[in-house]
């Protein structure tokens, strides 16, 4: 996903769930891949199932909040580029 190859990442996340079963961790990885692929409803479903298995997992709770807030995660390089673009426009 970090390289921008969302579809292969999504395939790998789905396969991991098939091979290892649905655990809080595998479902969180699946939710992250689904979110990156723009499939917010499916990502919400996956992270909800993850939290049902382990509601105390703070990173998963943060991911659920990000999914529900409608924000997509951007990498550091993208955020820096956006900041410099805004600065230049001033």
């Amino acid at each position: 996903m970090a390289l921008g190859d969302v579809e292969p990442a999504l395939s790998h996340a789905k396969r991991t769930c098939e091979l290892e079963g649905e655990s809080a961790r595998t479902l969180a990885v699946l939710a992250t891949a689904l979110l990156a692929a723009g499939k917010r409803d499916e990502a919400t479903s996956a992270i909800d199932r993850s939290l049902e298995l382990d509601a105390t997992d703070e990173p998963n709770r943060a991911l659920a909040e990000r999914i529900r807030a409608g924000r997509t995660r951007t990498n550091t390089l993208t955020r820096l580029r956006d900041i410099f673009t805004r600065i230049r426009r001033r």
Side-chain angles (χ1 to χ4, degrees), residues 8-23 25-27 29-30:
L10 184 54
S11 295
H12 286 289
K14 287 179 179 179
R15 185 73 175 138
T16 300
C17 285
E18 290 172 5
L19 293 174
E20 295 186 21
E22 290 189 349
S23 67
R25 185 71 192 135
T26 60
L27 286 167
V29 171
L30 177 60

Side-chain angles (χ1 to χ4, degrees), residues 9-66:
L10 184 54
S11 295
H12 286 289
K14 287 179 179 179
R15 185 73 175 138
T16 300
C17 285
E18 290 172 5
L19 293 174
E20 295 186 21
E22 290 189 349
S23 67
R25 185 71 192 135
T26 60
L27 286 167
V29 171
L30 177 60
T32 303
L34 288 164
L35 181 61
K39 299 178 179 186
R40 187 168 311 281
D41 291 339
E42 292 176 55
T44 301
S45 176
I47 199 63
D48 286 346
R49 289 193 322 266
S50 173
L51 290 173
E52 286 174 8
L53 295 172
D54 183 3
T56 65
D57 190 309
E58 287 299 320
N60 289 355
R61 290 171 58 172
L63 176 58
E65 184 178 316
R66 189 170 69 235

